[in-house]
Amino acid sequence: MTLDELRNRLRDFADARDWEQYHTPKNLAMALSGEVGELIALFQWLTPEESAAALDDPKLAAEIHDELADVTLYLVRLADMLGVDLLAAANAKIDRNEHRFPAR
Amino acid sequence: MTLDELRNRLRDFADARDWEQYHTPKNLAMALSGEVGELIALFQWLTPEESAAALDDPKLAAEIHDELADVTLYLVRLADMLGVDLLAAANAKIDRNEHRFPAR
Amino acid sequence: MTLDELRNRLRDFADARDWEQYHTPKNLAMALSGEVGELIALFQWLTPEESAAALDDPKLAAEIHDELADVTLYLVRLADMLGVDLLAAANAKIDRNEHRFPAR
Amino acid sequence: MTLDELRNRLRDFADARDWEQYHTPKNLAMALSGEVGELIALFQWLTPEESAAALDDPKLAAEIHDELADVTLYLVRLADMLGVDLLAAANAKIDRNEHRFPAR
């Protein structure tokens, strides 16, 4: 599956449920923020070292997969409703970062 | 560019700057949350209708591209440091959502 | 109850459970962010007008009280662990905002 | 200054600028989330130990005061627009937490 295919699957999913009316960028940015909140809560009491081994715990690993998925879904849907190409935007940002933070 | 290529470019970027030591999942989840905060701030005073037309304003459009890029970069980097395949996780979540929310 | 009394009650609560070791500013900022994520999720699909009437729905009202409480608890605890006086900081910020945004 | 006095000062501030029209709970929850994003960004690359000493750095200390103030302002304003008593809600939540997490 590619990111374009994921975007298309989300379009079909929303269309089949008549949810496009709720999917304004304002609402989707809120939904994205809410899911990131659930993701960050999984790491809040872990040390940085424990967080690096989080996937060794099967229950926590399943929760992390679930929240990373939710964040991805709302990010892709938000970009689609705005008409933004996420990969192109991200790539252009790395170009700019390479000038801001020259490698040693 | 594919999502895998973006992930690889981010790996090279961090490696060239010796930043991997900072890129624990705990820290990256915080960075992701901070960028989502900057993104949501762009929409906070807009009506839902105004948010749908946000890209018509060139200055706001540039800020939205920039913040969506930052969110994407940290999400992809976080998933990579955890060893999670974002597209597979997102696709599996839509499968589950199709059972939770049957189409009409 | 005053804000100082709330701060003291939270100190006693953490002390009685030996939780101070987890209450670093980094961890508490994450916990605050996670609770704000739960709060924002309550409003994400509401129109601005519906959000203004959110307390008319008893179930939603209870959830809003609960999440506002959690946000307050972590904010007060974070400020305490840093040694910041929230009311003084907020008051000083309004002073600055009065210069940045002169009233008409 | 008490929390009630801060709430009243914010009411006057918004009233003098005719900003009440923008201060729906939906918008204020977004503004709160954006400020928490700025706050968490201050701690994202610090170790937990470094975060505990963050106020020793004068520049960082000023930024932390500023962001904690912004979070407090939007939280107090959000609660006021909803008609929620933050201290009462927080106190009631600690009562519930004492049952959920008995002290040893």
Side-chain angles (χ1 to χ4, degrees):
Chain A
M1 159 159 290
T2 67
L3 204 58
D4 280 356
E5 288 166 348
L6 179 63
R7 179 201 62 201
N8 292 343
R9 195 173 173 201
L10 284 172
R11 278 186 198 169
D12 293 344
F13 187 91
D15 190 52
R17 285 156 188 80
D18 203 17
W19 283 357
E20 190 163 321
Q21 58 184 317
Y22 301 110
H23 285 187
T24 62
K26 186 180 180 87
N27 289 3
L28 289 166
M30 295 178 81
L32 174 63
S33 180
E35 296 299 341
V36 169
E38 292 192 50
L39 178 65
I40 207 166
L42 299 177
F43 296 106
Q44 66 195 19
W45 306 126
L46 304 185
T47 64
E49 297 71 30
E50 287 169 344
S51 80
L55 257 61
D56 295 347
D57 174 333
K59 181 171 173 294
L60 183 54
E63 291 174 319
I64 288 171
H65 275 84
D66 199 57
E67 297 307 338
L68 282 172
D70 282 334
V71 172
T72 304
L73 295 179
Y74 280 122
L75 176 60
V76 170
R77 183 67 178 153
L78 171 58
D80 189 31
M81 293 305 283
L82 285 163
V84 169
D85 181 331
L86 279 183
L87 290 174
N91 210 32
K93 186 62 187 266
I94 305 183
D95 289 344
R96 294 197 293 281
N97 283 346
E98 285 184 337
H99 283 91
R100 285 172 66 202
F101 308 105
R104 280 172 278 195
Chain B
M1 159 157 292
T2 67
L3 203 58
D4 280 356
E5 288 165 349
L6 179 63
R7 178 201 63 200
N8 292 343
R9 195 174 173 200
L10 285 171
R11 277 186 198 171
D12 293 343
F13 187 90
D15 189 52
R17 286 156 187 79
D18 203 17
W19 283 358
E20 190 163 319
Q21 58 184 315
Y22 302 110
H23 286 187
T24 62
K26 185 179 180 88
N27 289 2
L28 290 166
M30 294 178 82
L32 174 64
S33 179
E35 296 298 341
V36 169
E38 292 193 51
L39 178 66
I40 208 168
L42 300 177
F43 296 107
Q44 67 196 16
W45 305 127
L46 303 185
T47 64
E49 297 71 30
E50 288 168 345
S51 79
L55 259 61
D56 295 347
D57 175 332
K59 180 171 173 295
L60 183 54
E63 292 175 318
I64 289 171
H65 275 84
D66 198 59
E67 297 307 337
L68 283 172
D70 282 334
V71 172
T72 303
L73 295 179
Y74 280 121
L75 176 61
V76 169
R77 183 69 178 153
L78 171 59
D80 188 31
M81 293 304 284
L82 285 163
V84 169
D85 180 331
L86 280 183
L87 290 173
N91 209 34
K93 185 63 186 266
I94 306 182
D95 289 344
R96 292 197 294 281
N97 283 345
E98 285 184 338
H99 282 91
R100 285 171 66 203
F101 308 106
R104 277 172 281 196
Chain C
M1 158 158 291
T2 67
L3 204 57
D4 280 356
E5 289 166 348
L6 179 63
R7 178 202 61 200
N8 292 343
R9 195 175 175 200
L10 285 172
R11 278 185 199 170
D12 293 343
F13 188 91
D15 190 52
R17 286 156 188 80
D18 203 17
W19 284 358
E20 191 163 319
Q21 57 185 318
Y22 302 110
H23 285 186
T24 63
K26 185 178 180 89
N27 289 4
L28 289 166
M30 294 179 82
L32 174 63
S33 179
E35 295 299 341
V36 169
E38 292 192 51
L39 178 65
I40 208 168
L42 299 176
F43 296 107
Q44 68 195 16
W45 305 126
L46 303 184
T47 65
E49 296 71 30
E50 288 168 343
S51 80
L55 258 60
D56 295 347
D57 175 333
K59 181 172 173 295
L60 183 55
E63 293 175 317
I64 289 171
H65 275 83
D66 197 59
E67 298 306 339
L68 282 172
D70 283 333
V71 172
T72 303
L73 296 179
Y74 281 121
L75 176 61
V76 169
R77 182 69 179 153
L78 171 60
D80 189 30
M81 293 304 284
L82 284 163
V84 169
D85 180 330
L86 279 183
L87 289 174
N91 210 32
K93 185 63 186 265
I94 305 182
D95 289 344
R96 293 197 293 281
N97 283 345
E98 285 184 339
H99 283 92
R100 284 171 66 201
F101 309 105
R104 280 171 279 196
Chain D
M1 160 158 290
T2 67
L3 203 58
D4 280 356
E5 288 165 349
L6 179 64
R7 178 203 61 202
N8 292 343
R9 196 174 174 201
L10 284 172
R11 277 186 198 169
D12 293 343
F13 188 90
D15 190 51
R17 286 156 188 80
D18 204 16
W19 283 358
E20 191 163 319
Q21 58 184 316
Y22 302 110
H23 286 187
T24 62
K26 184 179 181 89
N27 289 3
L28 290 166
M30 295 178 81
L32 174 64
S33 179
E35 296 298 341
V36 169
E38 293 192 50
L39 178 66
I40 207 167
L42 299 177
F43 296 106
Q44 67 196 16
W45 306 126
L46 303 185
T47 64
E49 297 73 28
E50 287 168 344
S51 80
L55 257 62
D56 295 346
D57 174 333
K59 182 171 173 292
L60 183 55
E63 292 175 318
I64 289 171
H65 275 84
D66 198 60
E67 297 306 337
L68 282 172
D70 283 333
V71 172
T72 303
L73 295 180
Y74 281 122
L75 176 60
V76 170
R77 183 68 179 152
L78 171 59
D80 189 31
M81 293 305 284
L82 284 164
V84 169
D85 180 331
L86 279 183
L87 290 173
N91 211 31
K93 185 63 188 268
I94 305 181
D95 289 344
R96 293 198 293 282
N97 284 345
E98 286 185 337
H99 283 90
R100 285 170 67 202
F101 308 105
R104 280 172 278 193

